[in-house]
Amino acid sequence: MKEKEKQLFKALCKFKDKLTDPSLIEFATPAVLGHLFFNRMQGVAYDVLKNNGLLGKVNREFRNSLGAAYEQNVLKNDSFKKCIVMLSEILATCTCKVAMLKGAYLCAHYPDGYRTSNDVDLLVLPKDVTAVGNMLSSAGFKQGNVRNGEFIPATRQEIIESKMMRGETVPYIKEVNLPFMKFFEVDINFSLDYKNGTEDTLSDMLSAICIKNEKQLSIPTLDDADFFIHLCAHLYKEATTLPWIEMHRDMTLYKYCDIYMLLSEMTDTELRKIFARATELGMEKVCAYTLLETMGLFDMDNTFAYGICHIMLEDDPGFCLKVVSPQDKKVMTYQTSDVTERFFMESRADDLKEVSDDETA
């Protein structure tokens, strides 16, 4: 992509900011359109153009593609909300602690048409997995995966291996046949992929569950600090694990947009509280990584956030460039430090260099 195309792409994703350079619109090319769809930012881009009075300034195919995608997002979110209500009713009689993560809350918190999700991640204690799973099964959910638009039941071996190896169940799926949502998927998570992610930590998090009310939905989820930390951890894991990089699924921008939105709404006091909690969990570097990468991609001017992040990483300045390969337990590092430059690379894997044992010691 050309430099001006990159600038326009970023400007169309920064919905919290006014588009200050309308002349960028002349670079509304197929390359920009493709990146918006690939990064699941098409609904955001449409509304940014609309709110800045620029819809009539872009090519008709560019405008219509984004407009149709925005309308589809609105309809899909209506379907998703119905599924959230259904899931809430199923879990209403559950005596154990259950938190809905990520998209369950975020899809409702964003402006209409901005973010979509096909599934809901539930966080529960290991001892409660069977009970929650049985409730879903009684409501017509079946364990398996959707491939090529068809439900494929899981084998008993797959169900056992997922519990033992991944800290989550094989997805529970129900055919709902709603607009733009044929299937509704629920993933039950019962472990935290944190350095200090013990069952005590999980229990502590679940004991502080709160109800967030958004767009006529009541969503049981983690408190603000734990929700944000969990979001950072999820992004970090995918962005810094080699298989995700090789699949080109490591830096899909909608995940960074979640952080951009929540950070934009946050006070310095709230951010300080998040880092205090993250330090308790051994997650302060992960949160600093996520914030620095997000602020770089969205050109955020948050002096306090930059300051606290650099303090968290002062003993490990190369942390943001490290990547791990779980299969062979190797550590690699990016040669390119600028996050925007890395984002637009055709193959980020080619920018990685293996770190020697001496360098990791």
Side-chain angles (χ1 to χ4, degrees):
M1 288 178 75
K2 298 175 183 176
E3 184 58 34
K4 290 292 186 179
E5 291 174 322
K6 294 176 183 178
Q7 290 177 21
L8 175 62
F9 169 81
K10 291 178 69 171
L12 293 178
C13 295
K14 295 188 286 187
F15 70 94
K16 291 283 188 179
D17 305 313
K18 184 173 176 60
L19 203 159
T20 55
D21 186 3
S23 68
L24 288 173
I25 291 302
E26 67 181 277
F27 298 95
T29 63
V32 174
L33 186 64
H35 266 277
L36 290 169
F37 275 84
F38 188 83
N39 286 279
R40 289 171 58 178
M41 297 298 294
Q42 64 271 35
V44 173
Y46 176 81
D47 212 41
V48 167
L49 287 171
K50 180 181 177 182
N51 290 337
N52 285 273
L54 295 171
L55 279 176
K57 303 287 186 181
V58 296
N59 175 277
R60 183 184 66 178
E61 304 308 326
F62 193 98
R63 176 177 64 250
N64 289 350
S65 296
L66 293 181
Y70 175 84
E71 294 299 329
Q72 178 178 320
N73 281 2
V74 171
L75 292 172
K76 185 173 182 178
N77 266 350
D78 285 341
S79 296
F80 187 64
K81 289 173 190 174
K82 291 175 183 176
C83 290
I84 294 289
V85 171
M86 175 185 69
L87 181 59
S88 297
E89 291 173 351
I90 293 169
L91 298 174
T93 59
C94 186
T95 57
C96 53
K97 296 285 188 179
V98 183
M100 297 185 188
L101 306 172
K102 298 185 297 182
Y105 166 67
L106 291 169
C107 286
H109 188 63
Y110 272 99
D112 288 340
Y114 277 36
R115 194 190 194 282
T116 61
S117 180
N118 292 314
D119 59 15
V120 169
D121 288 281
L122 300 180
L123 187 64
V124 304
L125 289 171
K127 67 181 180 64
D128 296 324
V129 172
T130 301
V132 174
N134 287 342
M135 295 182 84
L136 292 172
S137 297
S138 297
F141 285 80
K142 298 177 181 178
Q143 286 188 273
N145 292 278
V146 176
R147 297 191 179 97
N148 300 319
E150 297 297 327
F151 174 75
I152 308 297
T155 65
R156 179 169 174 78
Q157 183 178 356
E158 287 172 334
I159 291 171
I160 294 171
E161 285 180 353
S162 185
K163 275 190 175 182
M164 293 180 65
M165 304 297 292
R166 298 170 57 195
E168 63 183 23
T169 62
V170 171
Y172 285 80
I173 295 172
K174 183 173 183 176
E175 187 168 347
V176 291
N177 289 312
L178 292 168
F180 299 105
M181 185 171 284
K182 181 179 180 181
F183 296 99
F184 177 48
E185 177 179 320
V186 178
D187 297 317
I188 304 176
N189 299 267
F190 52 91
S191 72
L192 296 166
D193 194 30
Y194 301 176
K195 183 171 64 177
N196 297 332
T198 64
E199 191 169 330
D200 287 343
T201 301
L202 183 58
S203 181
D204 179 38
M205 284 184 166
L206 290 171
S207 69
I209 283 177
C210 62
I211 302 295
K212 290 188 177 292
N213 296 301
E214 294 276 353
K215 297 184 174 76
Q216 291 80 53
L217 290 177
S218 295
I219 304 158
T221 190
L222 302 176
D223 74 11
D224 289 346
D226 286 344
F227 183 91
F228 189 79
I229 293 166
H230 181 271
L231 210 57
C232 288
H234 188 77
L235 184 153
Y236 171 79
K237 180 181 177 181
E238 294 181 353
T240 62
T241 305
L242 184 60
W244 285 85
I245 296 168
E246 292 174 333
M247 291 187 292
H248 302 283
R249 294 179 60 192
D250 54 316
M251 290 185 75
T252 316
L253 196 69
Y254 80 93
K255 294 177 284 192
Y256 295 82
C257 192
D258 293 343
I259 304 296
Y260 159 74
M261 174 179 66
L262 295 176
L263 181 59
S264 297
E265 298 168 353
M266 206 177 289
T267 66
D268 291 352
T269 300
E270 289 168 336
L271 185 58
R272 190 180 290 112
K273 179 181 176 182
I274 284 170
F275 270 102
R277 175 62 166 159
T279 302
E280 288 178 19
L281 299 172
M283 293 292 291
E284 67 278 9
K285 289 184 180 180
V286 166
C287 287
Y289 166 93
T290 305
L291 264 64
L292 287 173
E293 297 284 282
T294 299
M295 290 189 289
L297 286 170
F298 284 86
D299 305 310
M300 298 180 75
D301 183 18
N302 188 326
T303 304
F304 180 79
Y306 273 109
I308 198 168
C309 288
H310 286 301
I311 289 171
M312 297 298 163
L313 296 175
E314 59 187 354
D315 65 336
D316 194 356
F319 184 81
C320 288
L321 300 177
K322 290 179 183 176
V323 167
V324 296
S325 174
Q327 186 174 5
D328 50 22
K329 296 181 171 58
K330 289 181 179 178
V331 177
M332 287 157 281
T333 186
Y334 278 114
Q335 304 304 290
T336 303
S337 59
D338 184 81
V339 64
T340 296
E341 189 176 342
R342 268 187 282 123
F343 176 82
F344 285 109
M345 284 179 175
E346 289 189 14
S347 175
R348 281 182 287 277
D350 292 343
D351 193 58
L352 291 168
K353 176 185 176 183
E354 187 177 339
V355 178
S356 67
D357 291 338
D358 291 340
E359 291 174 290
T360 56

